[in-house]
Amino acid sequence: MREEIIVSGRNNPLIDPQLHVWHWEIPTYLFLGGLAAGVMFFAALYYLRGRENDYRTAVKLAPMIAPIALALGLIALFLDLHHKLYFWRLYTTIRLESPMSWGAWTLMIVTPVSIIWSALHIKELFPNWDWKFDFAKELIGFFEKNKKVLAWIMLISSAILGIYTGILFSAFNARPLWNTSIMGPLFLASGLSAGSAVVIWMSKNHAERKRFAQLDLMIIGIELFLIIHMFMGFLASTQVQIDAVNLFLGGPYTASFWGFVVILGMIVPAILEGLELKGYKIPVAIPVVLVLFGSVMLRFIISNAGQASRWLY
Amino acid sequence: MAIDTKKCVGCSDCVVACQTENDVPIGHCRDWVVEVMDGTYPQLEIELRSERCNHCKNSPCVRCCPTGASHYSDGGIVLVTKNECIGCSACITSCPYDARYVHPDGYVDKCTFCLHRVKKGMQPACVAVCPTKCMYFGDLDDPGSEVSEVLKKRKYKTLIPEAGTKPQLYFLI
Ligand code: SF4
Ligand code: SF4
């Protein structure tokens, strides 16, 4: 038997798995970032494919929640910082090796793009909107002319943002549960799923809802595939990673992960969306809320469980 | 730094010395003592280790710091510049040894090997105070230094070398 105790007393927050350094702020920020990435990605994609009139909600309306989500996410991130007065330091350095630095700079691009895209379509929401000042009109005109370029920037930067929400975790080798490159694609998929759910919710157009329900079904399939691969990878790996994944296979996070994330957040909405596609009448809010819930829970559970997983020595 | 697990008696003087020397806020510490018990009664074996930041050569904390506050200083000592740290805690999550903590003032703090003392030619506080003289501090690149000498003579291990951080604390076994 092996027993390890700290005899001198230590109150570093990580020594107790219950005490985490990252609380609700980081998973919230990652969820909102992923959601924003999802809606922006589809908006850019369908604009570039020339479907803006078929999929009006996706291209013109849904992206308007992106700046709001990003602003709230940034507030959450800011609340997480303990040395808030030095926030600006993030923007005096570019550190390619640091995922936090990547995130800060990606947001620096994504946020203005999301604001400009929303401004370009504000008339869809408020038909009588008037850009009172001439320079504002000129600016809008300029972006209107270069909308294709803007859409490309949005497509790429939102994909980076979506992947980044997972990379922030996977870059930490000290927390074995996070240390898998599947996190990037998994979180991107989760963000896209949340984004398409929002489009389904907002859209009044049957064809558009159908399209996004199909898309969401496909994405959920990909997520399940990635999760299975994550487990296979972990179980075939070293003892620390086997221990880490056991948090979900009998450990304290088993019920919440399988129940909330996989069953309620993926399988149930997938079944409901499938039934709806088959013609059954299902209140659209149910699968949408479940998908969003699953996406939030995924981030919270991975964040908390990851901080409970550690190297043994 | 090399630490003799055979000489250490687990008195925690190093912990107290560090807290005093570096004004470590109450409830936190930059170094701590671990007692590992192996075996079944009556065949028991105890290992005592005074642990702290390993001043890793390939440190994830420096790598993941978005502002460059965590950096390598002279002689490979890993330091945090207070006024550059935004307190994002990325480095805390990245350290496999849990060597860092958030100081109540907001920045992240950890062992500095008492660089301020070393610059004056003194030993780090923990090394100076140890009643069993179980710690050896010096330049690992200098083959004539006390640490290098003791590492030549004795068997040693580092903690979780498989984490890939190239830790620079050597535990004599
Ligand atoms: S022990 Fe932790 S804090 Fe110290 S250098 Fe290594 S990774 Fe960084
Ligand atoms: S908490 Fe400070 S030292 Fe640590 S990664 Fe963030 S900015 Fe760098």
Side-chain angles (χ1 to χ4, degrees), chain B residues 3-4 13 21 38 44 54 68 70 77 80 88 93 97 103 107 119 123 134 140 155 170 172:
Chain B
I3 298 166
D4 195 337
D13 273 4
E21 173 72 29
D38 250 325
L44 292 174
N54 284 267
S70 286
I77 297 181
V80 184
C88 68
T93 8
Y97 307 95
H103 191 282
Y107 57 89
K119 277 189 178 150
Q123 297 276 14
C134 79
L140 287 164
K155 269 200 186 159
Y170 295 87
L172 306 175

Short mmCIF file of all heavy atoms in Angstrom, two decimals, chain B residues 3-4 13 21 38 44 54 68 70 77 80 88 93 97 103 107 119 123 134 140 155 170 172:
data_model
loop_
_atom_site.label_atom_id
_atom_site.label_comp_id
_atom_site.label_asym_id
_atom_site.label_seq_id
_atom_site.Cartn_x
_atom_site.Cartn_y
_atom_site.Cartn_z
N ILE B 3 18.19 17.42 -2.95
CA ILE B 3 17.62 17.27 -1.62
C ILE B 3 17.75 15.83 -1.18
O ILE B 3 17.34 14.91 -1.92
CB ILE B 3 16.14 17.71 -1.61
CG1 ILE B 3 16.07 19.18 -2.00
CG2 ILE B 3 15.52 17.48 -0.24
CD1 ILE B 3 14.68 19.64 -2.35
N ASP B 4 18.32 15.63 -0.02
CA ASP B 4 18.59 14.28 0.46
C ASP B 4 17.38 13.74 1.21
O ASP B 4 17.08 14.16 2.33
CB ASP B 4 19.82 14.33 1.38
CG ASP B 4 20.38 12.94 1.62
OD1 ASP B 4 19.60 11.97 1.45
OD2 ASP B 4 21.57 12.83 1.96
N ASP B 13 11.02 23.06 8.78
CA ASP B 13 11.70 24.34 8.99
C ASP B 13 11.86 25.11 7.69
O ASP B 13 11.78 26.33 7.65
CB ASP B 13 13.10 24.10 9.60
CG ASP B 13 13.04 24.02 11.12
OD1 ASP B 13 11.90 24.07 11.65
OD2 ASP B 13 14.09 23.91 11.76
N GLU B 21 10.96 34.51 5.04
CA GLU B 21 11.88 35.22 4.15
C GLU B 21 11.12 35.93 3.04
O GLU B 21 11.42 37.05 2.68
CB GLU B 21 12.87 34.22 3.54
CG GLU B 21 13.78 34.77 2.46
CD GLU B 21 14.84 35.71 3.03
OE1 GLU B 21 15.23 35.52 4.19
OE2 GLU B 21 15.25 36.64 2.30
N ASP B 38 5.30 3.57 2.18
CA ASP B 38 5.18 2.43 1.28
C ASP B 38 5.19 1.14 2.07
O ASP B 38 5.89 1.04 3.07
CB ASP B 38 6.38 2.42 0.32
CG ASP B 38 5.96 2.76 -1.09
OD1 ASP B 38 4.84 2.36 -1.46
OD2 ASP B 38 6.74 3.42 -1.80
N LEU B 44 7.44 -1.19 6.67
CA LEU B 44 7.09 0.11 6.15
C LEU B 44 8.33 0.89 5.76
O LEU B 44 9.39 0.75 6.37
CB LEU B 44 6.31 0.91 7.20
CG LEU B 44 4.92 0.38 7.53
CD1 LEU B 44 4.34 1.17 8.67
CD2 LEU B 44 4.02 0.45 6.31
N ASN B 54 10.13 23.02 -9.44
CA ASN B 54 11.27 22.27 -9.95
C ASN B 54 12.16 23.06 -10.91
O ASN B 54 13.09 22.54 -11.47
CB ASN B 54 10.79 21.01 -10.66
CG ASN B 54 10.35 19.94 -9.68
OD1 ASN B 54 11.13 19.09 -9.29
ND2 ASN B 54 9.11 20.01 -9.25
N GLY B 68 4.23 36.57 -20.97
CA GLY B 68 5.67 36.52 -20.78
C GLY B 68 6.06 36.82 -19.33
O GLY B 68 7.25 36.98 -19.04
N SER B 70 5.84 34.80 -16.77
CA SER B 70 6.64 33.65 -16.36
C SER B 70 7.79 33.52 -17.33
O SER B 70 7.57 33.44 -18.54
CB SER B 70 5.80 32.37 -16.41
OG SER B 70 4.89 32.33 -15.35
N ILE B 77 16.64 29.81 -13.53
CA ILE B 77 15.59 29.91 -12.50
C ILE B 77 14.32 30.45 -13.15
O ILE B 77 14.36 31.41 -13.92
CB ILE B 77 16.06 30.83 -11.35
CG1 ILE B 77 17.28 30.20 -10.66
CG2 ILE B 77 14.93 31.07 -10.35
CD1 ILE B 77 17.80 31.00 -9.50
N VAL B 80 8.37 34.75 -11.97
CA VAL B 80 7.18 35.46 -12.44
C VAL B 80 7.40 36.95 -12.19
O VAL B 80 7.76 37.35 -11.09
CB VAL B 80 5.93 35.02 -11.64
CG1 VAL B 80 4.69 35.70 -12.19
CG2 VAL B 80 5.77 33.52 -11.66
N CYS B 88 -4.12 35.01 -14.88
CA CYS B 88 -5.06 34.17 -15.63
C CYS B 88 -5.04 32.72 -15.14
O CYS B 88 -5.90 31.93 -15.49
CB CYS B 88 -4.75 34.21 -17.11
SG CYS B 88 -3.20 33.42 -17.54
N THR B 93 -2.57 25.81 -13.84
CA THR B 93 -3.12 24.58 -14.42
C THR B 93 -2.06 23.83 -15.20
O THR B 93 -2.19 22.62 -15.38
CB THR B 93 -4.27 24.88 -15.40
OG1 THR B 93 -4.36 26.27 -15.58
CG2 THR B 93 -5.57 24.36 -14.89
N TYR B 97 3.31 19.87 -10.97
CA TYR B 97 3.70 19.74 -9.56
C TYR B 97 2.87 20.64 -8.66
O TYR B 97 3.12 20.70 -7.46
CB TYR B 97 5.18 20.08 -9.42
CG TYR B 97 6.06 19.29 -10.35
CD1 TYR B 97 6.45 19.82 -11.58
CD2 TYR B 97 6.46 18.01 -10.02
CE1 TYR B 97 7.23 19.09 -12.45
CE2 TYR B 97 7.26 17.28 -10.89
CZ TYR B 97 7.64 17.82 -12.10
OH TYR B 97 8.41 17.10 -12.96
N HIS B 103 -1.43 34.73 -5.41
CA HIS B 103 -1.20 35.60 -4.26
C HIS B 103 -2.45 36.45 -4.05
O HIS B 103 -3.09 36.85 -5.02
CB HIS B 103 0.01 36.48 -4.56
CG HIS B 103 0.52 37.23 -3.37
ND1 HIS B 103 -0.10 38.35 -2.90
CD2 HIS B 103 1.59 37.02 -2.55
CE1 HIS B 103 0.57 38.80 -1.84
NE2 HIS B 103 1.60 38.00 -1.61
N TYR B 107 -1.42 38.51 -8.37
CA TYR B 107 -0.47 37.88 -9.28
C TYR B 107 -0.17 36.46 -8.81
O TYR B 107 -0.57 36.06 -7.72
CB TYR B 107 0.83 38.70 -9.38
CG TYR B 107 1.50 38.93 -8.06
CD1 TYR B 107 2.43 38.02 -7.57
CD2 TYR B 107 1.20 40.04 -7.27
CE1 TYR B 107 3.03 38.20 -6.34
CE2 TYR B 107 1.80 40.22 -6.04
CZ TYR B 107 2.71 39.30 -5.58
OH TYR B 107 3.30 39.48 -4.36
N LYS B 119 21.90 36.23 -5.15
CA LYS B 119 22.68 37.30 -5.78
C LYS B 119 23.68 37.92 -4.80
O LYS B 119 24.70 38.45 -5.20
CB LYS B 119 21.73 38.38 -6.30
CG LYS B 119 21.17 38.04 -7.67
CD LYS B 119 20.41 39.21 -8.26
CE LYS B 119 19.89 38.87 -9.64
NZ LYS B 119 18.66 39.60 -9.92
N GLN B 123 22.79 31.47 0.58
CA GLN B 123 22.00 30.31 0.17
C GLN B 123 20.51 30.66 0.23
O GLN B 123 20.12 31.53 1.01
CB GLN B 123 22.26 29.15 1.15
CG GLN B 123 23.68 28.64 1.17
CD GLN B 123 23.92 27.62 0.08
OE1 GLN B 123 23.12 27.49 -0.84
NE2 GLN B 123 25.03 26.92 0.14
N CYS B 134 20.19 18.92 4.61
CA CYS B 134 19.87 17.91 3.60
C CYS B 134 19.74 18.51 2.20
O CYS B 134 19.48 17.79 1.25
CB CYS B 134 18.62 17.14 3.99
SG CYS B 134 17.10 18.00 3.66
N LEU B 140 24.41 23.73 -11.46
CA LEU B 140 24.52 22.37 -11.99
C LEU B 140 25.46 22.30 -13.19
O LEU B 140 25.97 21.23 -13.53
CB LEU B 140 23.14 21.84 -12.39
CG LEU B 140 22.21 21.48 -11.23
CD1 LEU B 140 20.78 21.37 -11.72
CD2 LEU B 140 22.65 20.17 -10.60
N LYS B 155 22.84 8.23 -5.71
CA LYS B 155 21.74 7.92 -6.61
C LYS B 155 20.66 8.97 -6.42
O LYS B 155 20.45 9.44 -5.29
CB LYS B 155 21.15 6.57 -6.23
CG LYS B 155 21.75 5.42 -6.94
CD LYS B 155 20.77 4.26 -6.85
CE LYS B 155 21.40 3.02 -7.44
NZ LYS B 155 20.72 1.83 -6.94
N TYR B 170 16.65 17.58 -7.68
CA TYR B 170 17.11 16.19 -7.65
C TYR B 170 16.96 15.65 -6.24
O TYR B 170 17.44 16.26 -5.29
CB TYR B 170 18.57 16.11 -8.11
CG TYR B 170 18.70 16.51 -9.56
CD1 TYR B 170 18.87 17.85 -9.91
CD2 TYR B 170 18.60 15.57 -10.56
CE1 TYR B 170 18.96 18.23 -11.25
CE2 TYR B 170 18.69 15.93 -11.90
CZ TYR B 170 18.86 17.26 -12.23
OH TYR B 170 18.93 17.62 -13.53
N LEU B 172 17.88 12.88 -3.67
CA LEU B 172 18.86 11.82 -3.42
C LEU B 172 18.14 10.68 -2.71
O LEU B 172 17.38 10.90 -1.77
CB LEU B 172 19.99 12.35 -2.54
CG LEU B 172 20.67 13.62 -3.06
CD1 LEU B 172 21.69 14.14 -2.07
CD2 LEU B 172 21.32 13.37 -4.42
#
